[in-house]
C-alpha cells in the first residue's frame, strides 16, 4: 500500500468534512457546536491521512474505523430525509449536513475497501 492514493484521499475527505462542518455551523447561526461534528471528524481524518503517508497500513485502517463510526453516527440524521422532503424536519440543517457527511464517509469506506482488496491482489500475484 506504499503507492496508495488513500492518504491523499483521506486528507481531501478531511478538508471536505471540515468545510461541511464550518458551513453548517455558520448556517446555524454559530450557535450549535454539534454543527461542527463533521469538522471534528474531518480534522481527525486529515491527521490520519497525513500520518498515513509514512505508515498507511496503520493510519488508513484507523481512518476507516473513524469513517465507519462517523457514518453510523450520522444515520439518525439521514433517517430524517423523508421529513426534510415533506417540509416537516425539526432540524433541516442537521439532516442536510448529516446526510452529506454520511455520503462522503460511506464513499470513503468503499474506496478504502477497494484499495485494500487491490493491495491484497497485488501481493498475491507477486508471491505466486
Amino acid at each position: 500500500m506504499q503507492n496508495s492514493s488513500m492518504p491523499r484521499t483521506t486528507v481531501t475527505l478531511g478538508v471536505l468534512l471540515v468545510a461541511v462542518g464550518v458551513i453548517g455551523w455558520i448556517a446555524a447561526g454559530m450557535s450549535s457546536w454539534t454543527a461542527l461534528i463533521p469538522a471534528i471528524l474531518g480534522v481527525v481524518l486529515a491527521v490520519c491521512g497525513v500520518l498515513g503517508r509514512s505508515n498507511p497500513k496503520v493510519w488508513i485502517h484507523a481512518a476507516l474505523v473513524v469513517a465507519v463510526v462517523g457514518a453510523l453516527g450520522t444515520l439518525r440524521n439521514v433517517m430524517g430525509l423523508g421529513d426534510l422532503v415533506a417540509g416537516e424536519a425539526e432540524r433541516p440543517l442537521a439532516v442536510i449536513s448529516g446526510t452529506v457527511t454520511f455520503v462522503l464517509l460511506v464513499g470513503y469506506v468503499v474506496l478504502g475497501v477497494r484499495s485494500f482488496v487491490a493491495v491484497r491482489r497485488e501481493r498475491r500475484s507477486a508471491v505466486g
Side-chain angles (χ1 to χ4, degrees):
M1 198 151 99
Q2 295 295 27
N3 296 327
S4 171
S5 63
M6 286 305 293
R8 181 181 34 236
T9 302
T10 306
V11 171
T12 302
L13 173 67
V15 170
L16 288 172
L17 288 172
V18 168
V20 169
V22 170
I23 290 167
W25 181 63
I26 291 169
M30 295 185 241
S31 61
S32 174
W33 74 269
T34 58
L36 290 170
I37 290 174
I40 295 166
L41 285 169
V43 169
V44 172
L45 288 169
V47 168
C48 286
V50 169
L51 295 173
R53 291 179 180 153
S54 62
N55 192 354
K57 189 173 183 178
V58 171
W59 291 105
I60 301 307
H61 276 88
L64 285 166
V65 169
V66 170
V68 168
V69 171
L72 291 173
T74 60
L75 271 177
R76 182 174 176 210
N77 286 328
V78 173
M79 300 304 258
L81 273 176
D83 290 338
L84 180 70
V85 171
E88 300 171 358
E90 288 182 34
R91 299 175 309 138
L93 288 174
V95 172
I96 293 167
S97 177
T99 301
V100 170
T101 301
F102 177 82
V103 169
L104 289 171
L105 291 173
V106 169
Y108 175 74
V109 170
V110 169
L111 288 174
V113 169
R114 289 180 66 199
S115 172
F116 290 151
V117 168
V119 168
R120 190 161 293 221
R121 282 186 185 147
E122 262 183 45
R123 286 185 184 156
R124 278 191 195 152
S125 66
V127 170

